[in-house]
Structures are given as structure tokens and as C-alpha cells.
Amino acid sequence: MTRRTGSGFLLLALGVLGLRYTFVGSSSGARSSRVAMEAERKFIVGGNWKANGSPESVKKLVEELNEGEVTSKDVEVVCAPPFVFLSEVQGTLRKDYAVAAQNLWDKDPGAWTGETPAQMLADMGIKWVVLGHSERRENCGETSQIVAEKTKFAVDKGLSTLTCIGEKLDARESGKTFDVLDEQLKPLADVLSEEDWEKVVLAYEPVWAIGTGKVATPEQAEETHAYIRKWLKENVSEKVSDSVRIQYGGSVNDKNAAELGKQPNIDGFLVGGASLKGGAFTTIINSV
């Protein structure tokens, strides 16, 4: 599969401004367009199992995932089970799928009752962690500054992150989506070096679409992803803008993934409910 590159946003912006641009390669679709000298961004699909599962259901889900036939070879897959199943899933899940924690404690191991320090995750071979999900921002009081600091701490400990951002319905309806994203992205830009960004995936999840059955239209999602890429170019660097992968999350399922995945600035999905169904999740993986 031919992937499009970070310059997808540049082409979009030039088109909006009415400037002339030239595609290199096929013009048959956004995903098949390539631009010279740009690094490719590998599509990444994450499954956030949240606080779901029993020993029996998790075993069944892992079996379904292991049996799934993945036909798309240019996709990275990460599954994030609850903490109590982390070790079991790591030991039984197919090895071409990575395993992620759903949170971490941004302190070194010690007297932190009930917490799981990043070093413990790294020591047990966990490579990924989901950070800043809207449910933690809303229910656990995690601010954008806390999310940024945890992201930096995770990267420093050798972990890669799926760092979540996104607006609530009132912000979307009042036209303040980009203001919310500015507030969430700025602390990340302040604490992460250009090299740090190599281990960060941004997951744009409009809060109003998470678990509601409502999905941003492909055009809405693309507009927002393009804005995020533009923000990174203006506030971090062009290199980071071109290379950072941006997932879409928010009621992604096996029916809508293919259409969403066609958008040039969508580099993957962070899947909630549909990731608990082995067949549906495999379909999503194969949709790009």
C-alpha cells in the first residue's frame, strides 16, 4: 500500500490558498499521492479496551485477534488492555501486535500506592502507553500540563505514547475546536524536543464522538487533522509536522474506517468499543 506523507497538509493548504502545486506520482487519490523527499508515515491502529473484560472474555478476544487474517502489511497495531490483564495479553497476543498500558505514573518506583510507574512498564517489556484520554482528563482531573509532563516522562523512560487530544461538543458547536487544540498542544510543544516527537503519536478524539455512535465526517476529521499538522509546523518544526502520526478516534468501527482512512492527514485510528470484537478490529486494520 502506498502511503501519503506529511506534505499532504501542504498540498491542502496550497489548494485552499489558490496556489499552484504539482503532485509527484499517481493522482488517483489522496492516499496514493506521493511527494518527493518526504518520509512516509506508517498507519497505526490502536485498540483501547478501557476498563472492560473478564478473564474469560479477554482470553477469547486474544484468540480472535490471533486468528485474524491481516492482509494489510503496512499497518502498526497496538492493543491496550486493562492493567490487570497487561501481563497475560503481552504473553499470549500475536507478536506482530504491540501491547500498551492505558496510563502510567510519572515518578520513579517507590511509595506510590496504587500507581504503576513508567519504569515498571518498561522493565516488563511494554513499549507503548495511552495518555491524556478524555475520560482521564474529565474524571481524574488530568490537565493538559499533566498530560504533557507524563508524555515527556514516558518518552524519557523509552516508551512510545498515544497522546490524546480533542474537544467537547460545546467547543465544536461554538467554533472553538482549534482554541481547545491550541491549549492542549502548547504544553506538549513546551516540554518535548524534536527528537522526543519521534516516539509520540497524537490521537485526535472529538469527545462528543467517543462512545456515542456519532462520528466526525471524513471532511471534519481531515480539517482538524490538517490544522494539527499546521500547528506543529508553526510551533514545533516542519520536520515534526511532516513525520508525526495523527490518529482519529471517536466511534471508529468496521463500517466507517475505510472512508475515514482515505483522508490524507489521518494516519491511523484509536478504536474503543470495536476493539473488543476481534473480527471487527481486524476489519479496521485491513481497511487501509
Side-chain angles (χ1 to χ4, degrees):
M1 178 184 67
T2 302
R3 291 280 293 129
R4 52 87 191 103
T5 68
S7 56
F9 171 73
L10 176 59
L11 299 179
L12 175 67
L14 291 174
V16 170
L17 294 172
L19 301 178
R20 297 172 63 87
Y21 56 84
T22 301
F23 284 102
V24 177
S26 169
S27 60
S28 60
R31 283 210 173 277
S32 62
S33 63
R34 296 287 304 278
V35 177
M37 296 186 297
E38 291 288 355
E40 293 185 359
R41 298 191 301 268
K42 188 172 185 178
F43 212 82
I44 179 168
V45 177
N48 180 12
W49 299 4
K50 304 189 180 184
N52 291 297
S54 65
E56 295 78 16
S57 68
V58 167
K59 180 180 179 181
K60 180 182 178 182
L61 176 54
V62 170
E63 289 174 351
E64 292 175 353
L65 292 172
N66 289 346
E67 293 169 358
E69 182 180 357
V70 176
T71 58
S72 181
K73 304 302 181 184
D74 195 27
V75 179
E76 187 171 4
V77 181
V78 182
C79 294
F83 271 110
V84 293
F85 300 117
L86 203 56
S87 182
E88 176 189 348
V89 173
Q90 183 189 30
T92 57
L93 186 66
R94 55 194 295 167
K95 298 311 175 187
D96 54 339
Y97 289 6
V99 176
Q102 294 180 19
N103 185 36
L104 57 71
W105 183 240
D106 58 344
K107 303 288 189 298
D108 289 329
W112 312 110
T113 301
E115 297 295 346
T116 306
Q119 188 62 55
M120 286 186 172
L121 296 174
D123 288 347
M124 67 179 291
I126 299 299
K127 305 295 186 184
W128 288 87
V129 60
V130 179
L131 294 173
H133 193 280
S134 63
E135 290 158 1
R136 293 199 58 83
R137 290 177 185 261
E138 181 71 19
N139 300 317
C140 303
E142 292 195 356
T143 64
S144 296
Q145 184 62 41
I146 289 173
V147 173
E149 291 172 357
K150 291 173 81 168
T151 298
K152 173 62 174 174
F153 195 85
V155 170
D156 286 348
K157 293 299 181 180
L159 299 172
S160 295
T161 76
L162 304 177
T163 299
C164 303
I165 57 176
E167 83 284 2
K168 295 182 179 180
L169 183 60
D170 58 346
R172 166 64 64 171
E173 292 181 338
S174 63
K176 295 182 179 179
T177 293
F178 295 165
D179 293 335
V180 172
L181 296 178
D182 290 351
E183 183 273 331
Q184 294 172 337
L185 287 166
K186 187 178 184 303
L188 289 167
D190 288 342
V191 301
L192 297 175
S193 68
E194 189 172 75
E195 184 178 358
D196 289 338
W197 281 98
E198 295 175 6
K199 298 184 73 67
V200 175
V201 172
L202 292 176
Y204 167 63
E205 295 197 302
V207 180
W208 48 272
I210 298 175
T212 63
K214 298 179 180 178
V215 184
T217 65
E219 293 75 20
Q220 285 176 318
E222 169 60 20
E223 177 189 34
T224 307
H225 280 235
Y227 175 79
I228 295 168
R229 205 168 298 288
K230 174 177 178 289
W231 193 97
L232 291 171
K233 181 178 180 180
E234 294 176 348
N235 294 276
V236 183
S237 73
E238 184 172 7
K239 176 183 176 181
V240 169
S241 174
D242 286 341
S243 62
V244 165
R245 293 178 288 179
I246 308 173
Q247 296 175 307
Y248 172 77
S251 296
V252 175
N253 57 49
D254 51 335
K255 304 295 191 301
N256 58 32
E259 190 63 28
L260 286 163
K262 293 178 182 177
Q263 304 307 308
N265 283 290
I266 293 180
D267 304 310
F269 304 119
L270 185 56
V271 185
S275 70
L276 300 174
K277 304 172 184 177
F281 192 62
T282 301
T283 297
I284 293 170
I285 295 168
N286 288 330
S287 68
V288 296

